[in-house]
């Protein structure tokens, strides 16, 4: 099966108010996972997913492709929040109501494998990480292109480059561990 044969988002559905509950149950956790692949923390992903789902509920009968719509809305919310929050810790500390980074508790990792994949994806540039997140979430290059406003060939090129970069990073990590011990041991 080719990548394009697996496309499902382009299929139109007939919306009704009754099926939102089912859609929410089926897609919410997947949407949070999608946002994590893009680079959101668990809290940021949940916040953006909730916001997108609320907006989807408000417009439910107007949305033709809900899986794509909520991902686009959630990604936009996450990006707007990330930009807005860039200097929030500094403002909080200056205002006397925040805790400095030195005193903050580190985020506890969920599963080791998920954390490893998130760390690997974090080493990619945003465009490559973005298309990989959509691809991991089941969207084909044509659908991804439509969602992010890129040419399908550009999306395929970004996917290819992301795979090459991830493979290179994995090989470098394996070589460092196998050949010379871990970096901490050196």
């Amino acid at each position: 099966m080719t990548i394009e044969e697996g496309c499902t988002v382009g299929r139109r559905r007939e919306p009704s108010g009754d099926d939102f509950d089912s859609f929410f149950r089926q897609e919410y956790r997947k949407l949070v996972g999608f946002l994590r692949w893009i680079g959101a923390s668990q809290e940021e992903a949940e916040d953006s997913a909730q916001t997108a789902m609320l907006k989807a509920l408000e417009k439910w009968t107007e949305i033709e492709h809900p899986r794509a719509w909520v991902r686009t809305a959630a990604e936009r919310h996450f990006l707007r929040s990330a930009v807005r929050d860039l200097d929030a810790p500094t403002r909080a500390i200056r205002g006397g109501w925040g805790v400095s980074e030195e005193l903050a508790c580190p985020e506890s990792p969920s599963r080791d494998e998920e954390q490893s994949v998130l760390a690997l994806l974090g080493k990619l540039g945003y465009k490559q990480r973005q298309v990989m997140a959509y691809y991991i979430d089941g969207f084909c290059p044509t659908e991804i292109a439509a969602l992010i406003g890129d040419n399908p060939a550009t999306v395929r090129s970004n996917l290819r480059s992301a795979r090459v970069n991830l493979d290179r990073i994995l090989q470098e990590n394996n070589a460092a561990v196998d050949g010379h011990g871990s970096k901490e041991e050196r």
Side-chain angles (χ1 to χ4, degrees):
M1 175 166 70
T2 68
I3 292 174
E4 298 298 323
E5 289 172 358
C7 291
T8 58
V9 177
R11 295 189 188 120
R12 185 185 169 124
R13 67 154 184 96
E14 292 301 320
S16 75
D18 297 335
D19 60 356
F20 179 79
D21 188 48
S22 173
F23 171 77
F24 181 90
R25 279 195 214 116
Q26 183 179 357
E27 292 295 324
Y28 178 76
R29 297 300 326 152
K30 294 175 186 176
L31 180 58
V32 169
F34 167 77
L35 292 164
R36 295 281 288 149
W37 296 129
I38 284 180
S41 69
Q42 184 69 30
E43 293 79 18
E44 292 167 332
E46 289 175 357
D47 181 50
S48 295
Q50 290 168 8
T51 299
M53 285 294 195
L54 182 59
K55 288 179 181 179
L57 176 61
E58 293 168 358
K59 298 176 180 256
W60 186 244
T61 58
E62 303 166 26
I63 299 171
E64 290 184 29
H65 308 289
R67 282 189 74 237
W69 193 95
V70 295
R71 279 159 181 76
T72 301
E75 180 183 12
R76 287 178 181 162
H77 181 271
F78 164 64
L79 292 174
R80 279 192 307 272
S81 296
V83 168
R84 182 182 62 241
D85 294 343
L86 279 176
D87 71 336
T90 304
R91 288 193 325 258
I93 293 167
R94 235 183 290 136
W97 54 271
V99 177
S100 69
E101 278 190 41
E102 297 84 44
L103 300 176
C105 295
E107 204 176 312
S108 60
S110 53
R111 294 178 299 208
D112 289 340
E113 185 176 272
E114 181 178 303
Q115 293 301 315
S116 296
V117 172
L118 290 171
L120 284 171
L121 289 174
K123 293 179 181 183
L124 298 175
Y126 184 76
K127 269 303 202 191
Q128 289 180 8
R129 189 168 64 237
Q130 179 188 40
V131 297
M132 285 299 292
Y134 274 105
Y135 187 73
I136 289 168
D137 209 34
F139 290 82
C140 67
T142 304
E143 294 165 335
I144 297 168
L147 290 167
I148 66 175
D150 268 350
N151 178 317
T154 303
V155 169
R156 285 190 290 276
S157 175
N158 279 321
L159 282 169
R160 200 170 27 257
S161 296
R163 288 183 188 115
V164 167
N165 287 334
L166 290 171
D167 186 51
R168 178 187 46 78
I169 293 166
L170 286 171
Q171 287 180 15
E172 289 172 0
N173 289 348
N174 289 339
V177 171
D178 293 342
H180 300 59
S182 70
K183 291 179 183 178
E184 292 81 26
E185 293 174 2
R186 283 190 257 170

